[in-house]
């Protein structure tokens, strides 16, 4: 189960630049501007095939758009690209509806909430565009360093991470912000929020992985994987209740429990850095720049439960052995006292 199975390969001469799973389809963008939408509903661990349901060439005039991030609604793809542009494409016709040169560098994240489009860039800006008036309603310079990741809790509360190790919580309605540092002045690469809304897991620097309680950011809750964590940049984090999975440039996918500072399992199979993780039914889907792999969650869970049972038995045996040793010492001490009398 640790190596999983091959799910699909990216086409020859193409490289995956981003992937987005909307719960129904897996959307894959390549560096040459090809956007593929795949249906994985018929795929199982042992068989089934990926069904391509859509193929769009992302073009601005005669120039291909290299996507860096994507969001969507029922009718529209919202695409941020590596040149700082933000474009909209019709999901059915594939026609480019608009293109705006919003940032001076790569667009790191894009998110459509209600009638607003949020995006951050490597130029340090968070921009919010009103889709009805097509005007920028908020322009927030969070830092002079690249903004590498963003979480939109709702249409006014945004969390951004930057290359100067800063995490900024922005209240657009109240026009205020609070900032804390992840530590070690290492660039933040990715971050994900636990479903309960206050625990933030952050990937930073070379293999760094920490969690923070946003209600008290004086110090991190846990430093994960020390000694047995990632050896290279963490690119993606995916939560499943209290467990989370991480993919990194060391070619591995690791599993952690948010409440325990140790790596619980390691998954292999990729020949280059892991840049995407998502779930599809009972499958954990992971991708590098050239291929997708699948791991069955049932196998991962069963292996974890067996390891936990073994750990519990070992701890219980050690506790019983310690109790027996204590009794022997107590008996030995009692005999010595009787001898003295």
């Amino acid at each position: 189960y640790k190596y999983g199975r091959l799910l699909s390969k990216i086409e020859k001469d193409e490289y995956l630049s981003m992937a987005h799973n909307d719960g129904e389809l897996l959307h894959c963008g390549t560096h040459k501007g090809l956007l593929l939408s795949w249906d994985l509903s018929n795929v199982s661990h042992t068989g089934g095939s990926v069904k391509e349901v859509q193929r769009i060439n992302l073009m601005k005039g005669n120039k291909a758009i290299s996507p860096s991030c994507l969001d969507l609604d029922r009718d529209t793809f919202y695409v941020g690209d590596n040149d700082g542009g933000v474009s909209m494409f019709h999901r059915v016709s594939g026609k480019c509806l608009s293109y705006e040169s919003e940032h001076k560098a790569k667009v790191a994240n894009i998110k459509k909430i209600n009638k607003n489009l949020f995006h951050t860039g490597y130029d340090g800006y968070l921009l919010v565009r009103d889709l009805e008036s097509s005007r920028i309603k908020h322009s927030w310079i969070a830092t002079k360093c690249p903004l590498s990741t963003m979480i939109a809790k709702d249409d006014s509360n945004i969390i951004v991470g930057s290359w100067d190790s800063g995490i900024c919580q922005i209240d657009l309605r109240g026009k205020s912000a609070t900032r804390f540092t992840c530590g070690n002045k290492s660039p933040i690469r990715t971050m994900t929020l636990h479903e309960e809304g206050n625990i933030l897991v952050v990937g930073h620097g070379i293999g760094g992985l920490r969690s923070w309680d946003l209600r008290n950011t004086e110090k991190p809750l846990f430093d994960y994987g020390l000694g047995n964590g990632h050896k290279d940049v963490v690119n993606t984090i995916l939560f499943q209740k209290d467990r989370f999975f991480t993919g990194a440039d060391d070619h591995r996918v690791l599993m952690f429990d948010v409440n325990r500072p140790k790596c619980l399992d390691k998954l292999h199979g990729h020949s280059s850095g892991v840049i995407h993780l998502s779930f599809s039914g009972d499958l954990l889907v992971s991708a590098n720049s050239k291929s997708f792999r699948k791991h069955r969650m049932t196998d991962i869970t069963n292996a974890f439960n067996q390891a936990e049972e073994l750990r519990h038995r070992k701890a219980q045996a050690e506790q019983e052995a310690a109790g027996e040793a204590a009794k022997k010492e107590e008996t030995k001490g009692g005999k010595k006292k009787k001898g003295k009398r």
Side-chain angles (χ1 to χ4, degrees):
Y1 79 95
K2 286 181 177 290
Y3 284 84
R5 298 185 179 185
L6 181 67
L7 174 64
S8 184
K9 290 185 177 181
I10 301 300
E11 297 180 10
K12 188 178 179 181
D13 299 326
E14 296 275 4
Y15 295 93
L16 186 73
S17 58
M18 54 71 53
H20 177 87
N21 193 325
D22 66 4
E24 296 182 0
L25 300 174
L26 178 61
H27 307 278
C28 315
T30 71
H31 76 298
K32 290 185 177 180
L34 182 62
L35 180 61
L36 304 171
S37 297
W38 293 343
D39 182 354
L40 306 183
S41 59
N42 292 324
V43 177
S44 67
H45 180 63
T46 55
S49 59
V50 173
K51 180 181 178 182
E52 183 181 306
V53 299
Q54 193 169 30
R55 173 181 291 248
I56 295 176
N57 289 308
L58 303 175
M59 302 290 292
K60 177 195 173 188
N62 296 322
K63 183 182 178 183
I65 294 172
S66 177
S68 57
C69 52
L70 177 141
D71 200 13
L72 68 157
D73 57 24
R74 186 182 64 182
D75 301 316
T76 310
F77 286 117
Y78 303 92
V79 181
D81 64 51
N82 287 298
D83 294 323
V86 172
S87 51
M88 294 189 291
F89 286 84
H90 195 273
R91 287 190 63 176
V92 177
S93 67
K95 180 182 178 181
C96 183
L97 304 175
S98 68
Y99 183 91
E100 301 288 344
S101 297
E102 301 280 45
H103 296 273
K104 295 179 181 179
K106 174 182 175 180
V107 181
N109 294 92
I110 191 166
K111 182 70 177 177
K112 193 249 183 179
I113 302 179
N114 298 326
K115 297 176 182 179
N116 298 313
L117 190 63
F118 297 75
H119 39 87
T120 56
Y122 277 32
D123 57 0
Y125 276 90
L126 163 66
L127 301 179
V128 183
R129 181 176 289 277
D130 186 322
L131 293 174
E132 289 190 328
S133 65
S134 193
R135 300 180 65 178
I136 296 293
K137 61 188 293 186
H138 293 290
S139 177
W140 193 289
I141 176 69
T143 174
K144 294 181 180 180
C145 292
L147 293 180
S148 52
T149 184
M150 172 185 73
I151 297 171
K153 299 178 74 173
D154 52 45
D155 59 4
S156 64
N157 293 288
I158 313 297
I159 306 170
V160 295
S162 63
W163 278 20
D164 63 358
S165 195
I167 298 172
C168 195
Q169 301 182 75
I170 302 171
D171 180 356
L172 293 174
R173 188 175 289 116
K175 296 182 179 180
S176 63
T178 57
R179 188 178 188 275
F180 66 96
T181 302
C182 187
N184 302 328
K185 296 183 179 180
S186 54
I188 292 173
R189 306 289 184 169
T190 185
M191 60 187 185
T192 302
L193 197 63
H194 186 272
E195 62 183 12
E196 60 83 39
N198 288 307
I199 306 303
L200 185 72
V201 176
V202 181
H204 63 96
I206 304 299
L209 198 61
R210 289 179 173 178
S211 63
W212 300 81
D213 187 337
L214 295 177
R215 295 162 296 190
N216 182 3
T217 57
E218 291 185 5
K219 61 180 182 179
L221 294 174
F222 293 108
D223 218 332
Y224 300 96
L226 290 176
N228 66 341
H230 285 294
K231 308 300 182 185
D232 211 330
V233 173
V234 178
N235 297 312
T236 180
I237 304 170
L238 177 66
F239 259 112
Q240 185 196 50
K241 296 184 178 179
D242 282 349
R243 290 190 301 185
F244 65 92
F245 296 84
T246 57
D249 280 350
D250 60 7
H251 309 179
R252 299 182 300 168
V253 175
L254 304 187
M255 184 177 80
F256 298 88
D257 185 305
V258 72
N259 299 307
R260 293 164 60 181
K262 290 185 178 181
C263 175
L264 303 179
D265 207 347
K266 300 177 182 181
L267 307 178
H268 307 274
H270 286 286
S271 58
S272 60
V274 179
I275 59 176
H276 169 79
L277 293 171
S278 63
F279 294 118
S280 178
D282 190 39
L283 299 177
L284 171 65
V285 176
S286 59
N288 60 17
S289 62
K290 291 299 294 181
S291 65
F292 287 80
R293 298 190 71 81
K294 56 184 179 179
H295 297 263
R296 186 159 53 188
M297 285 302 301
T298 300
D299 295 339
I300 295 171
T301 300
N302 289 342
F304 171 71
N305 290 338
Q306 289 173 10
E308 284 293 282
E309 185 178 352
L310 184 63
R311 186 178 70 88
H312 177 72
R313 287 179 179 177
K314 184 179 178 181
Q316 191 174 21
E318 289 175 351
Q319 188 176 5
E320 290 175 355
E324 288 296 325
K327 284 181 181 179
K328 287 181 180 179
E329 286 294 324
E330 187 178 341
T331 303
K332 188 177 179 181
K335 288 181 178 179
K336 284 184 177 179
K337 285 183 179 179
K338 286 182 180 180
K340 287 181 180 179
R341 287 176 185 174

